[in-house]
């Protein structure tokens, strides 16, 4: 039985004044009837008739709409063959900071564009500096990605030093500071991200409609300890560039961090619709839409809205071709079914998952496939099918090996965390409870030591929440409560975290806490449909 109590939460937000300033300015469409991408001022010496189109391309870069940016810059280059900066834009569109490194094909295309930029030339030292900066990323061709990224960062930093009045250079430099910070996922000081945010906020009053400023502030603070600082930026960005599917989605990075599920749903419904509208080829699915669906599924599950997730999965099964081989698309295709099964404790469903839809390039995205293997292993172990669980555990090891061979240390570590979780539940199935606890605790500690990728709304199931589940099953409710509360600190307002904490507090005799957590569960579920009672009541067993 649910206990419905009104819980009033006050969140003290100390952030930039983006929302207030935003209300004082009108939008300036970059190009096209009704198109709204924000306002960018990037003077170039190209022909006057292409300058507005060039600035549209820069605005697209700032909203990570890379394929459209490339088309725009190529059109500029065709209209003005002496515009070297147009080819700079094409080269920039192949490098996607904060995402996965460029593919060999992207690198080849980027190197060619960078050479075209050099050959076409530039009429000012500032433009030559921009072209030299992107060339520092692509050459020498033998350099690895971290070396390329640091070379580009240093070149942009030097551009800022030589041209201190160039705010565009400062904005691009801030993005590289964020990437630098993200390359150190164990650094909990967020030094580089805070430095980026300080630079961006200093330019806000001058450029209140700039898409990159609001966008990159969100990325700067996309961490549990900092998310409250970006609430204003989150609300502003979707209004600055509503023609961009990514701009409509990005606010949910902050909303998820704060457990704001209704806002997350609104943000990603709009983003998914924009992604569908922006696809140019019939039968092709937008990666933006899939990315939004991942966040939608996550938020719906926290409100017990299982039917909505089932509808999303039906859509996903129909995917046959993507508009880009984006990691985010593959992650969503694998994560949503895994979340749906594990969040609902449907162990049979988890154990039966397949890597689908078939026919896509799954072999290029080992970590996406690892999500399916992880869910299968946990599902089988929780059903006592140890042999099947060990088969999927072995597959996790193979996928981790491929990531290690590719020097993808971050995702190799994320797969290792899932291996530890699977090992823990196998040990539990075999009656080795001490080993089970040791492995789940190790997984939780390792997950705490890193940060989630910006491509994900969160782990399929937080490792520390799973540790709480195990402790609850082992009859240690006080210890379980402590783990649930630690998990909720970084993953607020999660349905399973709250119900676990409520049940643990009840069994531990902490009546006031139990009442509070059950009240929060009731408020969270609201008018959720049938089936949620089972989820809430399933915490005392497997």
């Amino acid at each position: 039985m649910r206990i419905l109590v009104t819980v009033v939460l006050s969140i003290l937000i100390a952030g930039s004044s983006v929302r207030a300033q935003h209300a004082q300015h009108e939008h300036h469409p970059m190009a096209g009837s009704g198109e709204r991408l924000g306002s960018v001022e990037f003077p170039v010496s190209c022909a006057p008739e292409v300058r507005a189109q060039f600035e549209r391309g820069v605005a697209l870069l700032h909203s990570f709409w890379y394929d459209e940016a490339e088309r725009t810059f190529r059109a500029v280059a065709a209209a003005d063959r002496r515009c070297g900066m147009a080819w700079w834009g094409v080269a920039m569109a192949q490098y996607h900071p904060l995402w996965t490194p460029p593919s060999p094909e992207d690198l080849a295309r980027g190197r060619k564009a960078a050479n075209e930029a050099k050959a076409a030339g530039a009429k000012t030292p500032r433009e030559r500096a921009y072209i030299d900066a992107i060339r520092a990323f692509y050459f020498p061709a033998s350099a690895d990605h971290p070396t390329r990224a640091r070379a580009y960062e240093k070149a942009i930093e030097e551009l800022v030093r030589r041209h201190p009045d160039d705010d565009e250079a400062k904005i691009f430099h801030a993005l590289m500071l964020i990437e630098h910070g993200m390359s150190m996922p164990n650094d909990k000081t967020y030094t580089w991200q805070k430095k980026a945010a300080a630079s961006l906020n200093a330019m806000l009053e001058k450029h209140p409609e700039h898409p990159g400023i609001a966008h990159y502030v969100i990325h700067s603070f996309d961490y549990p300890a900092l998310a409250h600082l970006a609430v204003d930026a989150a609300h502003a960005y979707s209004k600055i560039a509503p023609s961009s599917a990514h701009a409509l989605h990005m606010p949910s990075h902050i909303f998820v961090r704060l457990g704001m599920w209704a806002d997350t749903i609104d943000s990603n419904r709009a983003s998914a619709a924009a992604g569908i509208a922006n696809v140019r080829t019939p039968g092709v699915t937008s990666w933006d839409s899939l990315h939004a669906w991942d966040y939608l599924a996550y938020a719906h599950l926290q409100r017990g809205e299982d039917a909505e997730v089932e509808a999303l999965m039906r859509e996903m099964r129909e995917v046959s071709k993507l508009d880009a081989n984006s990691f985010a698309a593959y992650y969503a295709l694998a994560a949503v079914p895994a979340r749906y099964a594990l969040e609902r404790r449907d162990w049979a469903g988890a154990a039966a998952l397949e890597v689908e839809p078939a026919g896509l390039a799954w072999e290029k995205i080992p970590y996406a496939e690892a999500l399916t293997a992880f869910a299968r292993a946990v599902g089988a172990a929780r059903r006592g099918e140890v042999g099947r669980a060990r088969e999927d555990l072995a597959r996790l090891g193979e996928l981790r090996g491929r990531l290690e061979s590719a020097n993808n240390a971050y995702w190799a570590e994320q797969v290792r965390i899932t291996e530890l979780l699977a090992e823990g539940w196998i040990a539990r199935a075999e009656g080795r409870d001490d080993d089970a606890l040791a492995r789940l605790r190790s997984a939780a500690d390792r997950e705490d030591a890193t940060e989630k990728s910006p491509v994900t709304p969160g782990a399929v199931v937080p490792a520390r929440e799973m540790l709480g589940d195990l402790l609850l099953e082992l009859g240690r409710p006080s210890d379980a409560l402590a783990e649930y509360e630690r998990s909720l600190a970084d993953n607020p307002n999660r349905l399973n975290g709250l119900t676990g904490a409520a049940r643990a507090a009840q069994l531990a005799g902490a009546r006031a806490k139990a009442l509070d957590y059950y009240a929060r569960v009731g408020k969270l579920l609201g008018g959720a449909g049938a089936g949620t009672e089972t989820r809430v009541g399933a915490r005392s067993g497997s």
Side-chain angles (χ1 to χ4, degrees):
M1 178 178 179
R2 299 180 194 157
I3 303 172
L4 300 178
V5 178
T6 301
V7 179
V8 179
L9 299 178
S10 298
I11 301 175
L12 300 178
I13 299 170
S16 65
S17 56
V18 181
R19 188 185 302 159
Q21 293 184 25
H22 177 270
Q24 299 171 13
H25 294 80
E26 294 296 325
H27 287 287
H28 303 288
M30 293 302 303
S33 176
E35 182 179 72
R36 295 164 64 189
L37 296 169
S39 180
V40 167
E41 297 176 11
F42 196 121
V44 288
S45 61
C46 304
E49 60 268 21
V50 302
R51 291 175 189 172
Q53 193 173 16
F54 177 88
E55 289 185 336
R56 175 179 183 267
V58 177
L60 290 163
L61 287 178
H62 284 307
S63 284
F64 293 178
W65 196 347
Y66 292 115
D67 54 349
E68 184 66 18
E70 180 177 354
R71 283 190 287 267
T72 300
F73 286 123
R74 286 187 182 276
V76 172
D80 181 0
R81 297 188 178 279
R82 299 181 63 189
C83 179
M85 285 300 287
W87 289 107
W88 164 86
V90 174
M92 288 286 288
Q94 315 311 314
Y95 175 29
H96 308 158
L98 314 190
W99 292 2
T100 53
S103 67
E105 296 78 13
D106 291 337
L107 286 172
R109 198 158 50 245
R111 282 194 294 270
K112 182 178 179 181
N115 282 334
E116 293 278 6
K118 190 76 170 178
K123 298 182 180 66
T124 69
R126 169 181 168 273
E127 291 178 10
R128 287 192 290 273
Y130 271 103
I131 291 170
D132 288 343
I134 195 58
R135 286 179 61 81
F137 178 77
Y138 288 110
F139 299 99
S142 59
D144 61 16
H145 179 71
T147 302
R148 295 178 193 282
R150 294 294 82 77
Y152 174 69
E153 178 192 328
K154 292 298 181 184
I156 287 291
E157 183 177 35
E158 178 63 15
L159 199 162
V160 171
R161 189 185 71 79
R162 289 176 177 267
H163 301 275
D165 295 329
D166 188 343
D167 287 347
E168 276 298 316
K170 294 175 186 176
I171 294 167
F172 280 118
H173 183 238
L175 176 60
M176 294 313 300
L177 293 177
I178 297 166
E179 175 156 287
H180 194 149
M182 284 178 53
S183 72
M184 300 179 289
N186 300 101
D187 178 16
K188 298 294 186 175
T189 67
Y190 311 112
T191 300
W192 296 93
Q193 294 91 328
K194 291 176 181 177
K195 184 177 179 181
S199 174
L200 294 163
N201 278 325
M203 293 180 281
L204 177 62
E205 185 173 358
K206 184 178 177 182
H207 307 286
E209 296 294 317
H210 195 290
I213 292 177
H215 185 185
Y216 305 152
V217 165
I218 293 171
H219 278 296
S220 298
F221 293 142
D222 188 8
Y223 303 93
L226 305 178
H228 64 284
L229 298 173
V231 172
D232 288 339
H235 285 292
Y237 184 34
S238 62
K239 296 178 179 67
I240 289 171
S243 296
S244 163
H246 191 68
L248 294 170
H249 158 77
M250 268 307 299
S252 65
H253 280 235
I254 299 304
F255 300 152
V256 163
R257 291 291 196 181
L258 300 174
M260 299 166 63
W261 307 126
D263 296 277
T264 301
I265 290 167
D266 290 344
S267 173
N268 285 286
R269 279 179 176 162
S271 177
I276 292 169
N278 290 331
V279 169
R280 299 185 174 205
T281 307
V284 171
T285 301
S286 161
W287 77 264
D288 278 304
S289 296
L290 287 166
H291 188 42
W293 288 349
D294 186 16
Y295 279 68
L296 268 176
Y298 191 94
H300 280 307
L301 285 168
Q302 307 322 311
R303 303 206 310 181
E305 295 166 345
D306 298 348
E308 285 81 353
V309 184
E310 291 167 3
L312 289 173
M313 291 195 297
R314 285 193 294 272
E315 293 273 358
M316 288 179 157
R317 293 188 193 105
E318 299 301 316
V319 172
S320 60
K321 189 174 182 181
L322 300 170
D323 62 345
N325 275 326
S326 164
F327 169 72
Y330 285 87
Y331 185 94
L333 288 167
V336 172
R339 292 187 203 285
Y340 181 72
L342 294 179
E343 290 259 16
R344 295 166 54 254
R345 289 174 166 70
D346 177 8
W347 310 129
L353 289 174
E354 299 289 343
V355 178
E356 58 182 359
L360 299 179
W362 288 100
E363 69 282 356
K364 295 183 179 181
I365 318 289
Y367 184 64
E369 182 184 341
L371 298 176
T372 304
F374 164 61
R376 286 172 58 94
V378 171
R382 298 287 265 163
R383 286 170 56 83
E385 298 171 351
V386 172
R388 289 181 61 191
R390 288 195 178 280
E391 290 176 6
D392 288 299
L393 178 62
R395 181 59 177 160
L396 284 172
E398 294 169 5
L399 294 167
R400 176 170 51 84
R402 284 173 53 190
L403 290 161
E404 289 171 343
S405 297
N407 296 317
N408 195 332
Y410 175 81
W411 286 111
E413 172 66 3
Q414 302 314 300
V415 174
R416 180 57 190 145
I417 290 168
T418 64
E419 284 182 275
L420 286 166
L421 292 170
E423 289 169 2
W425 290 116
I426 289 170
R428 169 66 172 152
E430 294 178 333
R432 297 181 288 110
D433 292 341
D434 288 344
D435 287 347
L437 279 171
R439 282 166 172 74
L440 264 66
R441 193 173 298 281
S442 176
D445 290 344
R446 291 174 79 147
E447 190 170 88
D448 286 350
T450 63
E451 292 293 344
K452 81 169 185 68
S453 164
V455 82
T456 79
V460 171
V461 178
R464 196 161 296 281
E465 185 177 285
M466 277 196 164
L467 176 59
D469 291 347
L470 178 58
L471 287 163
L472 197 57
E473 289 185 23
L474 294 176
R476 296 170 54 178
S478 294
D479 293 336
L481 178 59
E483 300 302 340
Y484 286 128
E485 291 185 326
R486 285 186 64 183
S487 181
L488 286 165
D490 282 348
N491 307 278
N493 223 18
R494 274 184 51 82
L495 177 56
N496 286 345
L498 291 174
T499 55
R503 180 65 173 162
Q506 179 183 359
L507 293 174
R511 186 173 182 276
K513 274 195 173 184
L515 287 172
D516 177 60
Y517 280 120
Y518 278 124
R520 289 164 65 181
V521 169
K523 182 178 179 182
L524 185 63
L525 292 175
T532 56
E533 296 287 355
T534 302
R535 290 183 65 185
V536 172
R539 304 311 307 236
S540 58
S542 62

